[in-house]
Short mmCIF file of all heavy atoms in Angstrom, two decimals:
data_model
loop_
_atom_site.label_atom_id
_atom_site.label_comp_id
_atom_site.label_asym_id
_atom_site.label_seq_id
_atom_site.Cartn_x
_atom_site.Cartn_y
_atom_site.Cartn_z
N ILE A 293 1.15 6.43 3.24
CA ILE A 293 -0.16 6.06 2.77
C ILE A 293 -1.03 7.27 2.63
O ILE A 293 -0.58 8.27 2.12
CB ILE A 293 -0.84 4.99 3.63
CG1 ILE A 293 -0.61 5.43 5.14
CG2 ILE A 293 -0.13 3.62 3.42
CD1 ILE A 293 -1.30 4.59 6.14
N GLY A 294 -2.36 7.25 2.98
CA GLY A 294 -3.09 8.41 3.10
C GLY A 294 -3.94 8.44 4.47
O GLY A 294 -3.93 7.44 5.05
N GLY A 295 -4.46 9.50 4.68
CA GLY A 295 -5.36 9.49 5.88
C GLY A 295 -6.62 8.73 5.62
O GLY A 295 -6.88 8.29 4.56
N ILE A 296 -7.36 8.64 6.61
CA ILE A 296 -8.66 7.78 6.51
C ILE A 296 -9.59 8.54 5.52
O ILE A 296 -10.23 7.86 4.60
CB ILE A 296 -9.33 7.72 7.88
CG1 ILE A 296 -8.45 6.91 8.87
CG2 ILE A 296 -10.69 7.04 7.80
CD1 ILE A 296 -7.99 5.55 8.35
N ARG A 297 -9.75 9.85 5.59
CA ARG A 297 -10.72 10.58 4.66
C ARG A 297 -10.13 10.33 3.16
O ARG A 297 -10.97 9.98 2.37
CB ARG A 297 -10.62 12.07 4.98
CG ARG A 297 -11.48 12.84 4.04
CD ARG A 297 -11.51 14.27 4.63
NE ARG A 297 -10.26 14.93 4.52
CZ ARG A 297 -9.89 15.83 5.39
NH1 ARG A 297 -10.59 16.20 6.50
NH2 ARG A 297 -8.48 16.42 5.35
N GLU A 298 -8.95 10.35 2.96
CA GLU A 298 -8.37 10.23 1.61
C GLU A 298 -8.46 8.71 1.18
O GLU A 298 -8.72 8.46 -0.09
CB GLU A 298 -6.99 10.62 1.45
CG GLU A 298 -6.51 10.70 0.14
CD GLU A 298 -5.02 11.18 -0.08
OE1 GLU A 298 -4.08 10.94 0.81
OE2 GLU A 298 -4.71 12.00 -1.01
N THR A 299 -8.34 7.80 2.07
CA THR A 299 -8.49 6.32 1.78
C THR A 299 -9.88 6.13 1.37
O THR A 299 -10.12 5.35 0.40
CB THR A 299 -8.08 5.44 2.93
OG1 THR A 299 -6.74 5.76 3.37
CG2 THR A 299 -8.13 4.04 2.66
N GLN A 300 -10.89 6.65 1.97
CA GLN A 300 -12.22 6.55 1.61
C GLN A 300 -12.49 7.04 0.31
O GLN A 300 -13.24 6.51 -0.70
CB GLN A 300 -13.16 7.11 2.58
CG GLN A 300 -14.67 6.82 2.36
CD GLN A 300 -15.05 5.24 2.37
OE1 GLN A 300 -14.89 4.78 3.46
NE2 GLN A 300 -15.35 4.72 1.33
N GLU A 301 -11.87 8.22 0.03
CA GLU A 301 -11.90 8.88 -1.32
C GLU A 301 -11.43 8.00 -2.42
O GLU A 301 -12.03 7.86 -3.51
CB GLU A 301 -11.23 10.24 -1.28
CG GLU A 301 -11.15 11.09 -2.46
CD GLU A 301 -10.36 12.27 -2.36
OE1 GLU A 301 -10.66 13.20 -1.48
OE2 GLU A 301 -9.28 12.40 -3.14
N MET A 302 -10.27 7.45 -2.19
CA MET A 302 -9.61 6.47 -3.09
C MET A 302 -10.49 5.35 -3.43
O MET A 302 -10.72 4.97 -4.60
CB MET A 302 -8.21 6.01 -2.50
CG MET A 302 -7.49 4.96 -3.33
SD MET A 302 -8.04 3.19 -3.05
CE MET A 302 -7.78 3.03 -1.32
N LEU A 303 -11.16 4.78 -2.30
CA LEU A 303 -12.12 3.58 -2.62
C LEU A 303 -13.10 3.96 -3.50
O LEU A 303 -13.58 3.26 -4.41
CB LEU A 303 -12.47 2.90 -1.16
CG LEU A 303 -11.49 2.21 -0.51
CD1 LEU A 303 -11.98 1.91 0.86
CD2 LEU A 303 -11.06 0.94 -1.16
N ASN A 304 -13.85 5.12 -3.22
CA ASN A 304 -14.90 5.64 -3.92
C ASN A 304 -14.56 5.75 -5.55
O ASN A 304 -15.17 5.47 -6.36
CB ASN A 304 -15.45 6.92 -3.39
CG ASN A 304 -16.06 6.66 -2.00
OD1 ASN A 304 -16.27 5.64 -1.56
ND2 ASN A 304 -16.23 7.77 -1.20
N PHE A 305 -13.26 6.39 -5.65
CA PHE A 305 -12.71 6.58 -6.98
C PHE A 305 -12.64 5.35 -7.75
O PHE A 305 -12.99 5.27 -8.89
CB PHE A 305 -11.40 7.32 -6.84
CG PHE A 305 -10.70 7.63 -8.25
CD1 PHE A 305 -10.98 8.89 -8.86
CD2 PHE A 305 -9.76 6.81 -8.67
CE1 PHE A 305 -10.28 9.14 -10.06
CE2 PHE A 305 -9.13 7.04 -9.87
CZ PHE A 305 -9.42 8.13 -10.57
N CYS A 306 -11.96 4.33 -7.06
CA CYS A 306 -11.75 3.11 -7.70
C CYS A 306 -13.05 2.41 -8.03
O CYS A 306 -13.23 1.83 -9.06
CB CYS A 306 -10.91 2.20 -6.78
SG CYS A 306 -9.24 2.66 -6.65
N ALA A 307 -14.09 2.46 -7.19
CA ALA A 307 -15.33 1.96 -7.46
C ALA A 307 -16.02 2.63 -8.55
O ALA A 307 -16.53 1.96 -9.49
CB ALA A 307 -16.21 1.94 -6.18
N GLU A 308 -15.86 3.82 -8.70
CA GLU A 308 -16.47 4.78 -9.73
C GLU A 308 -15.88 4.34 -11.11
O GLU A 308 -16.48 4.34 -12.17
CB GLU A 308 -16.20 6.19 -9.50
CG GLU A 308 -16.76 7.11 -10.58
CD GLU A 308 -16.44 8.61 -10.35
OE1 GLU A 308 -16.03 8.91 -9.29
OE2 GLU A 308 -16.60 9.37 -11.23
N HIS A 309 -14.52 4.08 -11.11
CA HIS A 309 -13.79 3.78 -12.32
C HIS A 309 -13.56 2.33 -12.62
O HIS A 309 -12.90 1.87 -13.51
CB HIS A 309 -12.38 4.52 -12.36
CG HIS A 309 -12.55 5.99 -12.41
ND1 HIS A 309 -12.84 6.69 -13.61
CD2 HIS A 309 -12.61 6.94 -11.43
CE1 HIS A 309 -12.87 8.00 -13.35
NE2 HIS A 309 -12.85 8.14 -12.06
N GLY A 310 -14.16 1.40 -11.73
CA GLY A 310 -13.99 -0.04 -11.96
C GLY A 310 -12.51 -0.51 -11.80
O GLY A 310 -12.08 -1.43 -12.43
N LEU A 311 -11.83 0.12 -10.77
CA LEU A 311 -10.44 -0.31 -10.55
C LEU A 311 -10.30 -1.20 -9.36
O LEU A 311 -10.66 -0.78 -8.18
CB LEU A 311 -9.60 0.97 -10.34
CG LEU A 311 -9.68 2.07 -11.47
CD1 LEU A 311 -8.71 3.28 -11.02
CD2 LEU A 311 -9.21 1.53 -12.73
N GLY A 312 -9.89 -2.33 -9.50
CA GLY A 312 -9.41 -3.21 -8.41
C GLY A 312 -8.06 -3.83 -8.80
O GLY A 312 -7.58 -3.48 -9.81
N ALA A 313 -7.42 -4.40 -7.81
CA ALA A 313 -6.08 -4.85 -8.01
C ALA A 313 -6.08 -6.07 -8.79
O ALA A 313 -7.15 -6.81 -8.80
CB ALA A 313 -5.48 -5.18 -6.63
N GLU A 314 -5.03 -6.33 -9.49
CA GLU A 314 -4.86 -7.64 -10.25
C GLU A 314 -4.37 -8.50 -9.15
O GLU A 314 -3.25 -8.43 -8.57
CB GLU A 314 -3.82 -7.47 -11.36
CG GLU A 314 -4.29 -6.45 -12.34
CD GLU A 314 -5.55 -6.78 -13.12
OE1 GLU A 314 -5.72 -7.99 -13.64
OE2 GLU A 314 -6.42 -5.90 -13.19
N ILE A 315 -5.12 -9.77 -8.91
CA ILE A 315 -4.79 -10.55 -7.78
C ILE A 315 -4.66 -12.15 -8.10
O ILE A 315 -5.16 -12.51 -9.12
CB ILE A 315 -5.79 -10.42 -6.71
CG1 ILE A 315 -7.20 -10.92 -7.16
CG2 ILE A 315 -5.86 -8.98 -6.20
CD1 ILE A 315 -8.28 -10.93 -5.96
N GLU A 316 -4.04 -12.80 -7.28
CA GLU A 316 -3.93 -14.20 -7.19
C GLU A 316 -4.50 -14.59 -5.75
O GLU A 316 -3.80 -14.35 -4.90
CB GLU A 316 -2.55 -14.84 -7.50
CG GLU A 316 -2.52 -16.34 -7.57
CD GLU A 316 -1.18 -16.84 -7.90
OE1 GLU A 316 -0.38 -16.17 -8.56
OE2 GLU A 316 -0.93 -17.99 -7.47
N VAL A 317 -5.54 -15.16 -5.64
CA VAL A 317 -6.09 -15.55 -4.38
C VAL A 317 -5.57 -16.98 -3.96
O VAL A 317 -5.51 -17.87 -4.82
CB VAL A 317 -7.71 -15.81 -4.44
CG1 VAL A 317 -8.14 -16.21 -3.02
CG2 VAL A 317 -8.29 -14.38 -4.80
N ILE A 318 -5.05 -17.04 -2.77
CA ILE A 318 -4.39 -18.20 -2.21
C ILE A 318 -4.94 -18.58 -0.97
O ILE A 318 -5.54 -17.89 -0.24
CB ILE A 318 -2.92 -17.99 -2.06
CG1 ILE A 318 -2.65 -16.88 -1.02
CG2 ILE A 318 -2.17 -17.71 -3.46
CD1 ILE A 318 -1.20 -16.87 -0.61
N PRO A 319 -4.92 -19.96 -0.63
CA PRO A 319 -5.25 -20.34 0.74
C PRO A 319 -4.13 -20.02 1.74
O PRO A 319 -3.03 -19.83 1.31
CB PRO A 319 -5.41 -21.89 0.61
CG PRO A 319 -4.47 -22.19 -0.52
CD PRO A 319 -4.53 -21.02 -1.49
N ALA A 320 -4.53 -19.85 3.00
CA ALA A 320 -3.49 -19.46 3.95
C ALA A 320 -2.33 -20.40 4.13
O ALA A 320 -1.22 -20.05 4.46
CB ALA A 320 -4.12 -19.37 5.43
N SER A 321 -2.40 -21.74 3.63
CA SER A 321 -1.35 -22.74 3.68
C SER A 321 -0.29 -22.34 2.66
O SER A 321 0.77 -22.86 2.76
CB SER A 321 -1.98 -24.06 3.44
OG SER A 321 -2.54 -24.23 2.18
N LYS A 322 -0.58 -21.48 1.74
CA LYS A 322 0.47 -21.07 0.69
C LYS A 322 1.16 -19.77 1.04
O LYS A 322 1.89 -19.22 0.13
CB LYS A 322 -0.34 -20.98 -0.65
CG LYS A 322 -0.96 -22.26 -1.09
CD LYS A 322 0.22 -23.29 -1.40
CE LYS A 322 -0.42 -24.65 -2.10
NZ LYS A 322 0.59 -25.61 -2.46
N ILE A 323 0.79 -19.29 2.30
CA ILE A 323 1.59 -17.90 2.56
C ILE A 323 3.01 -18.07 2.43
O ILE A 323 3.65 -17.06 1.80
CB ILE A 323 1.08 -17.47 3.89
CG1 ILE A 323 -0.46 -17.08 3.97
CG2 ILE A 323 1.91 -16.23 4.41
CD1 ILE A 323 -0.92 -16.76 5.47
N ASN A 324 3.65 -18.90 2.99
CA ASN A 324 5.18 -19.04 2.92
C ASN A 324 5.60 -19.14 1.51
O ASN A 324 6.66 -18.50 1.24
CB ASN A 324 5.65 -20.14 3.85
CG ASN A 324 5.31 -19.88 5.23
OD1 ASN A 324 5.78 -18.85 5.84
ND2 ASN A 324 4.56 -20.79 5.87
N ASP A 325 4.95 -19.94 0.68
CA ASP A 325 5.41 -20.05 -0.70
C ASP A 325 5.19 -18.71 -1.45
O ASP A 325 5.98 -18.27 -2.21
CB ASP A 325 4.40 -21.11 -1.40
CG ASP A 325 4.67 -22.48 -1.02
OD1 ASP A 325 5.83 -22.79 -0.41
OD2 ASP A 325 3.84 -23.30 -1.09
N ALA A 326 4.09 -17.90 -1.02
CA ALA A 326 3.86 -16.75 -1.63
C ALA A 326 4.91 -15.69 -1.38
O ALA A 326 5.39 -14.88 -2.23
CB ALA A 326 2.44 -16.15 -1.27
N TYR A 327 5.33 -15.84 -0.03
CA TYR A 327 6.49 -14.82 0.29
C TYR A 327 7.72 -15.14 -0.69
O TYR A 327 8.28 -14.12 -1.17
CB TYR A 327 6.90 -15.09 1.72
CG TYR A 327 6.09 -14.30 2.83
CD1 TYR A 327 4.79 -13.92 2.47
CD2 TYR A 327 6.58 -14.08 4.05
CE1 TYR A 327 4.08 -13.08 3.49
CE2 TYR A 327 5.89 -13.27 5.01
CZ TYR A 327 4.73 -12.87 4.75
OH TYR A 327 3.88 -12.17 5.65
N GLU A 328 7.98 -16.26 -0.81
CA GLU A 328 9.20 -16.52 -1.76
C GLU A 328 8.99 -16.08 -3.15
O GLU A 328 9.87 -15.54 -3.88
CB GLU A 328 9.59 -18.00 -1.73
CG GLU A 328 10.02 -18.55 -0.36
CD GLU A 328 11.15 -17.72 0.24
OE1 GLU A 328 12.06 -17.35 -0.46
OE2 GLU A 328 10.95 -17.41 1.34
N ARG A 329 7.70 -16.25 -3.60
CA ARG A 329 7.36 -15.77 -5.02
C ARG A 329 7.37 -14.23 -5.03
O ARG A 329 7.74 -13.64 -6.00
CB ARG A 329 6.03 -16.36 -5.42
CG ARG A 329 6.07 -17.84 -5.73
CD ARG A 329 4.68 -18.33 -6.17
NE ARG A 329 4.13 -17.65 -7.29
CZ ARG A 329 2.90 -17.67 -7.87
NH1 ARG A 329 2.08 -18.48 -7.22
NH2 ARG A 329 2.49 -16.99 -8.75
N VAL A 330 6.92 -13.60 -4.03
CA VAL A 330 7.02 -12.08 -3.97
C VAL A 330 8.51 -11.66 -4.15
O VAL A 330 8.79 -10.73 -4.87
CB VAL A 330 6.41 -11.53 -2.68
CG1 VAL A 330 6.73 -10.08 -2.55
CG2 VAL A 330 4.93 -11.64 -2.73
N LEU A 331 9.33 -12.37 -3.38
CA LEU A 331 10.78 -11.90 -3.35
C LEU A 331 11.39 -12.29 -4.76
O LEU A 331 12.35 -11.62 -5.07
CB LEU A 331 11.55 -12.68 -2.27
CG LEU A 331 11.13 -12.35 -0.91
CD1 LEU A 331 11.86 -13.18 0.16
CD2 LEU A 331 11.50 -10.90 -0.51
N ALA A 332 10.93 -13.21 -5.54
CA ALA A 332 11.29 -13.51 -6.79
C ALA A 332 10.54 -12.74 -7.91
O ALA A 332 10.71 -12.99 -9.19
CB ALA A 332 11.09 -15.02 -7.05
N SER A 333 9.73 -11.82 -7.54
CA SER A 333 8.90 -11.03 -8.50
C SER A 333 8.02 -11.95 -9.27
O SER A 333 7.69 -11.66 -10.44
CB SER A 333 9.79 -10.05 -9.23
OG SER A 333 10.44 -9.24 -8.53
N ASP A 334 7.49 -13.09 -8.71
CA ASP A 334 6.62 -14.01 -9.44
C ASP A 334 5.22 -13.84 -9.03
O ASP A 334 4.61 -14.73 -8.47
CB ASP A 334 7.30 -15.44 -9.12
CG ASP A 334 6.45 -16.51 -9.84
OD1 ASP A 334 5.80 -16.08 -10.87
OD2 ASP A 334 6.38 -17.65 -9.25
N VAL A 335 4.73 -12.72 -9.26
CA VAL A 335 3.24 -12.52 -8.82
C VAL A 335 2.79 -11.34 -9.63
O VAL A 335 3.43 -10.28 -9.91
CB VAL A 335 2.97 -12.17 -7.37
CG1 VAL A 335 3.87 -10.97 -6.87
CG2 VAL A 335 1.48 -12.00 -7.05
N ARG A 336 1.56 -11.54 -10.24
CA ARG A 336 0.98 -10.40 -11.06
C ARG A 336 -0.47 -10.15 -10.59
O ARG A 336 -1.36 -10.92 -11.03
CB ARG A 336 1.09 -10.77 -12.56
CG ARG A 336 2.45 -10.85 -13.08
CD ARG A 336 2.62 -10.89 -14.57
NE ARG A 336 3.90 -10.95 -15.05
CZ ARG A 336 4.42 -10.82 -16.37
NH1 ARG A 336 3.40 -10.76 -17.16
NH2 ARG A 336 5.56 -10.90 -16.57
N TYR A 337 -0.68 -9.22 -9.66
CA TYR A 337 0.37 -8.55 -9.10
C TYR A 337 0.22 -8.32 -7.55
O TYR A 337 1.06 -7.63 -7.01
CB TYR A 337 0.22 -7.00 -9.71
CG TYR A 337 0.73 -6.93 -11.10
CD1 TYR A 337 -0.02 -7.22 -12.26
CD2 TYR A 337 2.14 -6.78 -11.34
CE1 TYR A 337 0.56 -7.29 -13.63
CE2 TYR A 337 2.72 -6.79 -12.66
CZ TYR A 337 1.90 -7.05 -13.72
OH TYR A 337 2.35 -7.10 -14.88
N ARG A 338 -0.70 -9.09 -6.96
CA ARG A 338 -0.89 -9.08 -5.57
C ARG A 338 -1.48 -10.36 -5.12
O ARG A 338 -2.45 -10.84 -5.68
CB ARG A 338 -1.78 -7.99 -5.18
CG ARG A 338 -1.53 -7.41 -3.81
CD ARG A 338 -0.23 -6.73 -3.53
NE ARG A 338 -0.18 -5.77 -2.45
CZ ARG A 338 0.85 -5.01 -2.27
NH1 ARG A 338 1.89 -5.17 -2.83
NH2 ARG A 338 0.78 -4.09 -1.30
N PHE A 339 -0.84 -11.00 -4.17
CA PHE A 339 -1.36 -12.09 -3.50
C PHE A 339 -2.44 -11.72 -2.50
O PHE A 339 -2.19 -10.79 -1.71
CB PHE A 339 -0.31 -13.06 -2.75
CG PHE A 339 0.51 -13.76 -3.69
CD1 PHE A 339 1.92 -13.58 -3.66
CD2 PHE A 339 0.06 -14.84 -4.53
CE1 PHE A 339 2.68 -14.13 -4.63
CE2 PHE A 339 0.94 -15.53 -5.36
CZ PHE A 339 2.24 -15.25 -5.40
N VAL A 340 -3.48 -12.47 -2.44
CA VAL A 340 -4.64 -12.13 -1.52
C VAL A 340 -4.98 -13.59 -0.88
O VAL A 340 -5.19 -14.46 -1.54
CB VAL A 340 -5.87 -11.52 -2.21
CG1 VAL A 340 -7.01 -11.43 -1.19
CG2 VAL A 340 -5.48 -10.21 -2.85
N ILE A 341 -5.06 -13.49 0.41
CA ILE A 341 -5.32 -14.72 1.28
C ILE A 341 -6.82 -14.75 1.38
O ILE A 341 -7.44 -13.86 1.79
CB ILE A 341 -4.62 -14.61 2.54
CG1 ILE A 341 -3.06 -14.45 2.55
CG2 ILE A 341 -5.01 -15.80 3.40
CD1 ILE A 341 -2.44 -13.96 3.75
N ASP A 342 -7.33 -15.89 1.14
CA ASP A 342 -8.68 -16.23 1.39
C ASP A 342 -8.82 -16.65 2.90
O ASP A 342 -8.34 -17.65 3.24
CB ASP A 342 -9.19 -17.31 0.53
CG ASP A 342 -10.63 -17.87 0.87
OD1 ASP A 342 -11.17 -17.41 1.85
OD2 ASP A 342 -11.13 -18.63 0.08
#
Side-chain angles (χ1 to χ4, degrees):
I293 48 172
I296 298 302
R297 181 175 60 213
E298 189 177 41
T299 301
Q300 187 65 64
E301 178 184 298
M302 176 274 303
L303 288 170
N304 295 345
F305 177 89
C306 287
E308 178 184 349
H309 292 275
L311 306 181
E314 302 295 313
I315 64 171
E316 180 178 335
V317 178
I318 62 168
S321 61
K322 297 292 186 182
I323 290 173
N324 295 300
D325 293 337
Y327 272 25
E328 296 309 314
R329 288 180 57 190
V330 169
L331 294 173
S333 299
D334 180 27
V335 55
R336 295 193 178 181
Y337 281 91
R338 205 64 151 184
F339 286 115
V340 172
I341 303 162
D342 178 351

